Each structure stands twice: as structure tokens, then as C-alpha cells.
Amino acid sequence: MTEPLIDLQAVTKVYPGVKEPAVKALNLAVEPGEILVLVGPSGCGKSTTLRLINRMIEPTSGRIIYEGQDVTKGDPNELRRRMGYVIQQIGLFPHRTIAENIATVPRMLKWPKKKIKERVDELLEVVSMDPSIYRDRYPSELSGGQAQRVGVARALGADPDVLLMDEPFGAIDPITRDRLQNEFLRLQADLKKTIVFVTHDIDEAVKMGDRIAILRDQSEIAQLDRPEVILTDPADEFVENFLGSGAILKTLTLRRVRDIDLDPMVTLKQPVHRSQALSEMNEANTTSAVLLDEQDRPLRWLDERALNSSSSALERSGRPITVQLQPEDTLQDALSAMLQTSSGMSVVVDGRGRYLGCCTIESLAGLLLTQGNETSSP
Amino acid sequence: MSAAIVPTGLSTERKRRSLAAWTSDQLDLIVTPVLALILLVLLITVWSYSTFDPTTERILEPSQLARQLWQQLYVAFFSTVIVVAVAIPIGILVTRENAPRIKDTLVSFLGLGQAIPAYGLIVLFFVWLGQGAWTVIFALATFALLPVLRNTIVGLEQVDSSVIEAGKGMGMRGVQRLTKIELPLAVPVIMAGIRTATVINVGMATLAFLIGGGGLGETINAGLKLNRPTAIFIGAVLVALVALVFDFAGGLAQRYLRPKGV
Ligand SMILES: Nc1ncnc2c1ncn2[C@@H]1O[C@H](COP(=O)(O)OP(=O)(O)O)[C@@H](O)[C@H]1O
Ligand SMILES: [Mg+2]
């Protein structure tokens, strides 16, 4: 195992005037390049734990090791400039432009002006915002989603190795949140930052985390593992309850369509004649087929009865294909796509829309069942 | 234009809000000059069209009025400078994270101070410091301390705590957070307090004559004692004019010192 980038050693925090510690003798190691999610019920000490890492809160006892060095003492401001920090309320400076906001840490580090300007534009691009439009705007002119993008860009300002994120998408509407999560995962695939991510939402934890630490009161770790292990093999009743009833369904978000064995359907490529279509389906001993256009893009579901009963052109018989999946889609997407079709089946296409195969409820169920068996027999 | 990018609902909302804000801003800067202008016209009319008897003429001797005006401004200016120099630092100190919790006590204590009429305060300071303009200056500074102190405290405390938290999280030191985040964002509220204090001081400087501090109060007082209504009127209008000019200047400052983006 690699050396952890951040290592909390027996860290305890007792708030003044409070008897019970908010964090009690916590040991937590964060590996370089991973997204470690801290998830747990409200008030269990997630935020306190996160804020101990950049010493927004000073530990009562214990040590914090960062990059192999004890940072429990020394200047906390120096430490914070080496770690990006994103909070739910974002906290953009309302009197500073977007560019000035993002430049906060580089300025404190006295980067040359030109380098700062380039960095600001680069970061705006990274978070999918056009620098020429947004650079000189003020935070009051942004939507919630845009503001949180800028919040992330600002945290990345001086290219820190670590990002600490406290419910960063918590105050954003579900649709935008989903988009921001996806964008963030794409961005992280390039940046490979070490991220500690706090949320109270187990679904978000499963989606974002390389590893998940499920915390109970006083930041005690109930289970720390990869999401698929936690979902299929919860350590105790607390974890089980926290996961809720749909744990196995949540594993659907962890697997992709590419993991399924696709069904080879009979395909008919345009231009094709009705009689030719019927004979090919007869030959394959099937009653249905997928009609493709000249570029192999799926057009319609054809079935024998429709072909026999009407004389309309092929491209008007059967049913149009409206839902398509791609190999990168999660099994959850696949399930909801298939439930929208009456046949319980969906076509899978590649990035250019070309036909790859079909995915059925049966093959998905098969995958889930084998997975269940694997984990129940160690 | 921004309207092309933001959803329309948002942009019309913003337009409506900024229109309302614009009108109230403009009103603020229009009413005062208009009032001042009316007073000025009145003053000039009365001055030009009334015939002064010798006593009135003696009271309204222009060089004397000029001296009184100058004294009035002198008292108002320095008392305001003292208020600002004292109240803002205290306001900053008591709002620091680790400051002793004295600000509520302090504000109510100074509230008591303001409950004493300015007149009484001037007499008290006279007993302590004797005659002269500076006694009045110190008395008025005490009297007008509260609005600036209170607004400094309120202005600093209304700054969104998540903004300060974010600054801290990026490694801004306490002084940097104060000068780069908190004070700029508190400026509008603090300026409103200073404006109030200035107008109080300009008006109250009229009482300076009581203990030999001069000012336009002399003219009003002479008019009262010698029963010369024209003199009283002209003295009072001059005081009002000066107060309006200061209020207007304060309004301008409040507007142009407001940080962009908020
Ligand atoms: N500044 C504070 N002073 C005293 N108690 C606090 C403070 N901040 C948090 N707490 C308490 O510490 C516990 C953990 O809080 P927190 O870390 O914010 O939990 P979470 O982020 O998991 O909701 C809670 O019981 C909370 O009431
Ligand atoms: Mg929290």
C-alpha cells in the first residue's frame, strides 16, 4: 500500500463547553489520488473531521500528518493554502469578480500577474465556464450551479494536491447536482486530486467515492471500504440501516452497461426489402429484429406480425427506437431505460450512435444474481 | 448582454429589483438637493427683499456670519473625525472572534449616553474641560459615537459568515480577512452611520455658542434675545442648509464607496 497523503492519528476534538467529544480518537488515512467520502447521519462529526484536516478547528489531541510531516503545529494558514476547501454555502466574495475570486490563493502566494490570469482562464475552462463571459462578472450574477463551479475552480486555484469538500452539492437542485457530480468525476479523472468529500447522502457517497467511510456518533468509523463492498457486505446493523432498504439497487449505480453480456439480435441493415427481412428472421428462428440505417444506427424494432399484417414500408412498420444506452451508462440508467420499453429491452450504441447489441432485463438480473452469490460465499 | 445567458425569469426579477433599488437611490440623492435649493431661494429672497433695522443688520453682518459658519463647520468636522477614529476601531475590536463579549453592554451604555440631551452633555463637558470649541467637539463626539459604533458592529456582523469561512479556509490571515472581506462588505452600513453622525454634529454644533464655541447658534440666540425674527430665520436656514449639504455629501460617499457587485 502507498503511504497515505493525509493521516489522522488518534485525533480527538472536544468543543469548549461540551462534555462529549465531537470526534473521538479517530484514525483515518487518505490515500493519494482517491476520493474518500465521509458519510453519516447529521451531527455525527463529519464537518468537524474535515475541518480538523486543514485546522479550521484545532484538535484537542492527536496528530495530523500531511505529506509525511506533522502539521498539527505550525502556521495553519500555510497549510490551508496547500489544500482546496469547498463548502456547501460556497462563500464566494460578493465584492470580487469571478476572476478575482479564483485568484485568491495564487495572489496570496504572490504568483506573477500573467500566470494568475492564465490560471484563472484555465480553471474556468476546467469547470465548463466560458472565461470571456464570466471572468469579469460578480457572484450575484451566477446561478447556484455556476457559483458552485466557481467555488470548485477557486479551491483549485493554486493547484493544491488536496481538496476538502463539505457537502459541496448539498444546496443545489437534484438535476443540476447530478450534472455537477458527473462533471466533477470527469474532472477528477484528469486531475487525480486527493479528495475528502463529506455528504449525508448515501447515494452521493456511492456515486462519488472510491472509498466510503460510514461514520456514527463522534466520528467513529462503522465501516471503511469500497462502495461495492459496503453495499453488498455491510459490517453491522448500523451500516445496514444507514444504507436503507435499497442497498442492492444502489449497486446498480456502480456497474456499467459494458459489464453486461449483450444479446445479439437479428439486425437488418438498410436498404433492405420486406421479403428479405422476413426470410432472414425466419432463418434465425426469431420473431423480432432491429432495423439499422446505412451507418449502422438503430432505427426501429421490427416484428414478424407487423411485417405480415401491413404493407407499409419497412421504415414505418414496427416501433421506433427512442431509448438508447451507451456502454458507460450505469445499470441504473439501463434499468430505467428498459422499464420505459414494453419489451424490457434496450439497444446499446457506441459513442457515434452505432449499434452494439441489445440489453435485456434478464441479462441485467443475471448479473445482479451472480454478484449476490459471489459475496455471500466468501 | 447578460440577459442572453441567464434564464429569463431570473433576469426580469433582477431588473425589477434593481429598478426599485435605483429609484430609492436616486430619491435619496434628489430630495436633499431639491430641499436645499428651496431653502437657498428662500434665504436669498428674504435677504434681498426685507429691510433690516440696524440691530438686525448688526446681527447679520456678513463677515460675522462667515466666521460663525466656519466655526460651525470646524466643530462638526473635528467631532466627526473623532467619532470615526474612535468608533470604527472599537467596532472592529469587539467583533473579533476572540474578543470579550462586551459589545452589547457597550452599545446599551452608549445608548444611555445618547439619552442625555446634547445640551446636557455639552454642559457636563464644560464643567470638566471649561470653555471653547474643543469642549463642544468632545461632547458632540461622545454624543454621535453610538450610530457609528452600532453601524460598524452591525455592518461587520451582517457579512455572510460563509464568506469569512471560505476566506479562512483559503489561508487568509485575520487581518487579510478584515481588510479584504469584512470591511469592504461592511462599508455601506458603516458609511450610513457616519452620515448620520455628521448630520447630528453639524446640527448640534449650533449649541457651541453656549460655552463660547461660536457657530451659527450665536445669530439665532441674538435674534431670540433681541426679538428679531428675520435674524432667527436666516440663522436657522443657514444651519439647515449646511446639514443638507453634509447629508448630500454623505449620500454620495455612501454610493460611490459601496463595493461593486453587492
Ligand atoms: N462550534 C461548535 N461548538 C460546539 N459544538 C459543536 C460545534 N460545531 C459542531 N458542534 C457539535 O459537534 C457535533 C458534530 O458536528 P458536525 O461536525 O458539524 O456534524 P456533521 O457535519 O456530521 O453534521 C454536533 O453534535 C454539533 O452539535
Ligand atoms: Mg456538516
Side-chain angles (χ1 to χ4, degrees):
Chain A
M1 208 149 119
T2 47
E3 176 146 323
L5 189 71
I6 302 167
D7 198 5
L8 303 187
Q9 300 178 347
V11 172
T12 294
K13 173 65 190 181
V14 185
Y15 283 111
V18 185
K19 257 213 213 105
E20 295 292 311
V23 172
K24 194 164 137 191
L26 175 70
N27 290 299
L28 184 70
V30 189
E31 306 295 329
E34 77 169 338
I35 302 185
L36 175 66
V37 176
L38 307 180
V39 65
S42 173
C44 72
K46 305 178 294 290
S47 297
T48 305
T49 305
L50 191 77
R51 289 152 58 82
L52 282 163
I53 297 175
N54 65 353
R55 288 179 56 203
M56 293 291 280
I57 296 173
E58 296 289 354
T60 311
S61 65
R63 296 202 309 161
I64 299 154
I65 310 294
Y66 177 54
E67 288 181 335
Q69 284 174 344
D70 189 339
V71 292
T72 323
K73 298 278 169 301
D75 185 355
N77 292 308
E78 300 285 344
L79 181 68
R80 290 175 199 145
R81 289 172 200 176
R82 290 156 65 196
M83 297 180 170
Y85 183 53
V86 184
I87 53 179
Q88 181 176 337
Q89 307 84 342
I90 314 174
L92 293 181
F93 302 150
H95 59 305
R96 299 273 187 94
T97 63
I98 305 306
E100 289 167 336
N101 265 282
I102 296 175
T104 307
V105 180
R107 268 196 196 165
M108 281 192 284
L109 297 176
K110 307 228 160 35
W111 286 17
K113 278 227 170 68
K114 187 161 163 285
K115 187 176 165 198
I116 293 181
K117 201 175 167 300
E118 286 165 4
R119 179 70 181 153
V120 166
D121 286 2
E122 181 191 341
L123 282 169
L124 279 171
E125 303 269 7
V126 164
V127 297
S128 323
M129 291 176 73
D130 184 343
S132 64
I133 297 177
Y134 291 104
R135 203 189 282 129
D136 299 320
R137 292 218 180 158
Y138 285 92
S140 59
E141 301 171 75
L142 302 180
S143 70
Q146 290 171 334
Q148 194 51 282
R149 285 195 175 93
V150 174
V152 170
R154 182 173 67 171
L156 290 169
D159 206 11
D161 294 329
V162 172
L163 278 187
L164 307 176
M165 309 180 86
D166 194 345
E167 312 214 13
F169 309 132
I172 291 168
D173 69 271
I175 295 171
T176 312
R177 182 194 310 152
D178 200 53
R179 204 166 60 219
L180 288 181
Q181 288 168 341
N182 294 338
E183 277 182 24
F184 186 73
L185 286 173
R186 257 200 309 280
L187 186 149
Q188 163 67 357
D190 291 339
L191 299 178
K192 307 221 164 45
K193 300 286 179 196
T194 305
I195 297 167
V196 185
F197 189 109
V198 164
T199 177
H200 63 264
D201 176 2
I202 183 67
D203 292 313
E204 184 171 57
V206 169
K207 181 170 182 182
M208 304 304 287
D210 295 318
R211 288 195 305 155
I212 299 178
I214 303 216
L215 303 179
R216 60 176 131 228
D217 253 13
Q218 306 187 326
S219 225
E220 184 194 340
I221 298 176
Q223 188 170 12
L224 171 57
D225 216 318
R226 296 198 317 277
E228 56 271 28
V229 178
I230 291 183
L231 286 173
T232 51
D233 191 14
D236 59 17
E237 210 178 316
F238 174 82
V239 176
E240 218 164 275
N241 287 338
F242 191 72
L243 295 176
S245 52
I248 194 76
L249 283 179
K250 292 190 178 81
T251 62
L252 288 175
T253 62
L254 292 171
R255 323 260 328 234
R256 311 271 155 183
V257 169
R258 72 172 95 82
D259 301 333
I260 305 183
D261 298 323
L262 297 182
D263 277 28
M265 287 276 290
V266 172
T267 58
L268 300 162
K269 187 166 170 175
Q270 292 268 52
V272 58
H273 199 266
R274 174 193 305 273
S275 54
Q276 199 182 337
L278 280 170
S279 73
E280 280 196 34
M281 283 158 76
N282 260 331
E283 210 167 292
N285 202 12
T286 174
T287 58
S288 53
V290 180
L291 178 67
L292 307 177
D293 71 4
E294 285 87 343
Q295 277 86 47
D296 282 338
R297 289 179 302 218
L299 292 173
R300 302 181 79 81
W301 297 106
L302 297 179
D303 67 84
E304 205 172 14
R305 200 157 359 118
L307 286 180
N308 281 325
S309 66
S310 90
S311 56
S312 58
L314 270 185
E315 44 293 357
R316 254 169 287 134
S317 62
R319 285 169 292 113
I321 291 174
T322 48
V323 186
Q324 299 182 339
L325 290 169
Q326 297 199 353
E328 297 75 41
D329 290 332
T330 66
L331 293 192
Q332 190 172 43
D333 299 329
L335 185 61
S336 70
M338 283 183 276
L339 292 176
Q340 282 173 47
T341 67
S342 54
S343 57
M345 195 188 278
S346 171
V347 296
V348 181
V349 297
D350 68 11
R352 297 218 191 98
R354 288 179 308 210
Y355 177 81
L356 293 173
C358 278
C359 140
T360 63
I361 293 254
E362 288 81 16
S363 51
L364 193 144
L367 189 71
L368 290 181
L369 288 174
T370 52
Q371 174 191 317
N373 289 340
E374 272 164 25
T375 46
S376 59
S377 55
Chain B
M1 259 299 293
S2 65
I5 297 115
V6 289
T8 44
L10 197 73
S11 86
T12 47
E13 165 114 343
R14 189 179 307 155
K15 248 179 234 153
R16 190 150 17 94
R17 211 183 310 129
S18 64
L19 185 70
W22 186 85
T23 340
S24 83
D25 263 24
Q26 298 307 316
L27 224 60
D28 196 31
L29 290 187
I30 289 169
V31 170
T32 316
V34 167
L35 251 159
L37 206 69
I38 295 173
L39 284 182
L40 192 65
V41 170
L42 244 132
L43 183 72
I44 292 170
T45 317
V46 170
W47 189 282
S48 328
Y49 291 98
S50 34
T51 41
F52 296 155
D53 64 85
T55 316
T56 310
E57 204 148 301
R58 207 161 359 90
I59 300 174
L60 295 178
E61 213 271 300
S63 71
Q64 190 163 301
L65 281 181
R67 172 187 54 80
Q68 291 170 1
L69 184 65
W70 170 248
Q71 284 169 331
Q72 184 106 1
L73 295 180
Y74 181 90
V75 168
F77 177 78
F78 281 105
S79 52
T80 306
V81 166
I82 292 175
V83 165
V84 169
V86 173
I88 292 181
I90 293 180
I92 290 171
L93 284 178
V94 298
T95 50
R96 292 311 85 193
E97 234 175 340
N98 40 10
R101 317 230 159 273
I102 55 163
K103 58 173 184 276
D104 295 337
T105 327
L106 195 68
V107 167
S108 36
F109 178 73
L110 283 164
L112 276 182
Q114 223 184 17
I116 306 174
Y119 181 89
L121 219 52
I122 290 174
V123 172
L124 275 179
F125 270 75
F126 167 71
V127 173
W128 179 31
L129 296 171
Q131 284 237 328
W134 277 92
T135 303
V136 184
I137 288 172
F138 285 124
L140 291 187
T142 311
F143 189 71
L145 203 62
L146 184 67
V148 180
L149 179 67
R150 195 177 40 205
N151 279 38
T152 305
I153 292 174
V154 170
L156 288 170
E157 286 189 334
Q158 50 96 50
V159 175
D160 188 350
S161 62
S162 65
V163 173
I164 300 170
E165 158 104 358
K168 191 175 172 191
M170 284 186 286
M172 294 176 92
R173 295 174 198 289
V175 176
Q176 287 173 317
R177 294 200 295 272
L178 176 69
T179 56
K180 300 206 162 134
I181 307 176
E182 295 179 68
L183 281 176
L185 289 175
V187 157
V189 183
I190 297 178
M191 276 311 301
I194 295 178
R195 186 179 173 185
T196 308
T198 311
V199 175
I200 289 177
N201 286 338
V202 170
M204 292 298 178
T206 314
L207 297 176
F209 80 92
L210 282 174
I211 54 166
L216 290 163
E218 283 181 3
T219 295
I220 299 174
N221 188 44
L224 282 168
K225 284 213 175 107
L226 304 171
N227 195 18
R228 291 296 183 279
T230 325
I232 300 172
F233 176 80
I234 285 177
V237 167
L238 276 174
V239 171
L241 257 177
V242 176
L244 285 175
V245 168
F246 272 73
D247 186 55
F248 182 67
L252 281 182
Q254 221 175 326
R255 159 180 285 208
Y256 291 104
L257 293 180
R258 173 184 289 274
K260 267 200 211 155
V262 289

